[in-house]
Amino acid sequence: MPNEFDHHHHHHQLLHPKFSLFLLCLLSPSIGSTAAVAAPIGICYGRVANNLPPPAAVLQILQTNNISSVRLFNTDPATLQSFSSTPTIRLTIGVPNELLPTLASATVHAALAWLQSNILAHIPPNQIHYLAVGNEVFLKDPYYIPHVLPAILNLHQALQTLGLSQTIKLSSPQAASVLSASYPPSSASFDPSLQPSLLPLLHFLRDTNSPFMVNSYPYFSYLSSHPFVSLDYALFRASGAGEVVLDGGLAYSNLFDASVDAFVSAMEREGIAGVPVVVSETGWPTIGGEAASVENALAYNAEVVRRAVEGVGTPRRPGVGVEVFLFDLFDENEKGGEEYEKHFGIFGPDGLSAYGLSFN
């Protein structure tokens, strides 16, 4: 992208070059750092459906649309094997909640054996980006809370034994509800009842250069909180004085940025700085609920993609794109819950794009 600071250079030709650069740093905080950093865009491949296309067709859809990052929610062997023929695709592999007690109480040797027989037997290690250990445990399955970190530590030691702990990172996707306060973002804090379990996890993430994963759905916030949360604020269209949220010196024009930065603030409040936030699920439904439509789904997902590709970042971390996993590759017609839960698909089972979303 063009360097927006090029036009400053000739004003300072008479000054010492280093002083000139110093002035540029004063003019813009980002000149001292690198240019905007793009972030990967992944897609979630949920499979709670009876009409999914065969694996070869799924690979064709992903490659046609230049999607090279996929999140799976379990270790289904046939699904893992189907990706082993396509080395350009990197996987985030979910370890289901119900496996956590076994992995938590296992010896490192047993965790290593589990890793080898359930994952590495089916997919080469250089295709694995993350292991997502549990999913929304702190919200949905409090029974499993004490098992999250011990399972992660065992898997981490197993990866260290194999020399893979630098390339395969571990995290545990959280629901937004682990925050007891999120508005404004600078006031965000973790639920005090969860802090004894969350803080050791955050220390692990910091110490291993791993991301904090969060499933963030502005659609759900809009449903539960409008008229306080406007549709424009959820869909990246807020502009006027009444719509943009001012938080100290920062301005928030959308809920996505506000929710990511709320997690950044909550971590910093606990003394944890520098841990990236990866949005491990986000999306918008096309039918089945208020404001669910192909137009809104396209508006939302296209803007999430653009921000990652262009490295827009958030007000607290500008210029660093947020890695995202869009939910969902297909509609999942066997999901329970509200009708809209079945209708997050970005592609139809025929492989055609549901609403023309571009991933570039």
Side-chain angles (χ1 to χ4, degrees):
M1 63 197 309
N3 182 346
E4 62 197 281
F5 309 107
D6 282 347
H7 61 275
H8 295 308
H9 288 177
H10 61 273
H11 298 308
H12 304 297
Q13 279 167 350
L14 302 177
L15 302 172
H16 188 277
K18 279 188 177 164
F19 183 62
S20 163
L21 187 64
F22 170 67
L23 284 180
L24 286 183
C25 291
L26 293 182
L27 285 167
S28 167
S30 58
I31 192 80
S33 60
T34 51
V37 180
I41 301 148
I43 196 161
C44 297
Y45 181 16
R47 303 178 64 255
V48 187
N50 60 16
N51 61 344
L52 298 175
V58 172
L59 288 171
Q60 186 65 53
I61 293 166
L62 296 170
Q63 290 175 293
T64 302
N65 289 277
N66 294 319
I67 301 167
S68 58
S69 171
V70 175
R71 179 180 173 199
L72 304 172
F73 291 93
N74 58 37
T75 59
D76 176 62
T79 306
L80 288 175
Q81 286 162 10
S82 72
F83 285 100
S84 63
S85 61
T86 314
T88 52
I89 294 179
R90 293 181 83 195
L91 299 180
T92 295
I93 302 171
V95 179
N97 295 355
E98 55 270 21
L99 295 179
L100 298 181
T102 307
L103 286 166
S105 60
T107 61
V108 173
H109 179 77
L112 183 63
W114 181 88
L115 197 59
Q116 290 187 308
S117 59
N118 288 278
I119 295 179
L120 298 174
H122 310 301
I123 189 88
N126 59 359
Q127 276 186 260
I128 306 170
H129 191 192
Y130 300 121
L131 295 182
V133 183
N135 189 43
E136 299 188 353
V137 170
F138 291 72
L139 167 70
K140 291 195 299 214
D141 284 325
Y143 166 77
Y144 295 111
I145 289 176
H147 302 292
V148 173
L149 188 60
I152 285 177
L153 293 174
N154 275 336
L155 288 169
H156 184 247
Q157 281 196 271
L159 290 169
Q160 281 183 312
T161 305
L162 296 169
L164 297 173
S165 60
Q166 294 300 311
T167 53
I168 300 176
K169 295 297 180 180
L170 294 150
S171 193
S172 184
Q174 304 298 331
S177 58
V178 296
L179 297 177
S180 59
S182 60
Y183 179 88
S186 63
S187 306
S189 58
F190 290 110
D191 182 333
S193 69
L194 299 176
Q195 283 183 354
S197 309
L198 266 176
L199 288 183
L201 172 63
L202 292 173
H203 287 125
F204 170 84
L205 298 176
R206 181 187 63 193
D207 296 345
T208 56
N209 293 318
S210 305
F212 187 86
M213 290 184 166
V214 56
N215 298 339
S216 178
Y217 286 96
Y219 178 71
F220 296 159
S221 304
Y222 166 73
L223 279 192
S224 62
S225 306
H226 71 88
F228 304 106
V229 173
S230 72
L231 189 59
D232 281 346
Y233 192 63
L235 287 175
F236 300 95
R237 293 196 295 235
S239 55
E243 289 186 311
V244 173
V245 172
L246 296 178
D247 182 12
L250 303 177
Y252 289 88
S253 61
N254 66 84
L255 199 48
F256 180 90
D257 284 354
S259 66
V260 170
D261 278 358
F263 278 96
V264 174
S265 295
M267 287 193 281
E268 288 175 352
R269 190 174 300 280
E270 305 303 333
I272 308 283
V275 173
V277 174
V278 166
V279 176
S280 38
E281 284 177 39
T282 194
W284 198 282
T286 54
I287 196 170
E290 185 180 349
S293 69
V294 290
E295 294 78 16
N296 289 347
L298 177 58
Y300 179 80
N301 283 328
E303 189 60 13
V304 171
V305 168
R306 182 188 75 79
R307 288 162 164 271
V309 169
E310 296 182 6
V312 172
T314 64
R316 272 185 171 258
R317 292 178 172 174
V320 180
V322 178
E323 182 174 4
V324 291
F325 291 84
L326 298 181
F327 188 89
D328 196 1
L329 189 53
F330 304 110
D331 278 359
E332 294 184 81
N333 64 5
E334 294 184 315
K335 277 201 110 156
E338 300 289 338
E339 179 62 23
Y340 62 74
E341 302 248 10
K342 302 180 171 80
H343 299 289
F344 278 81
I346 293 169
F347 296 93
D350 55 6
L352 296 177
S353 174
Y355 43 81
L357 178 68
S358 166
F359 285 80
N360 301 320

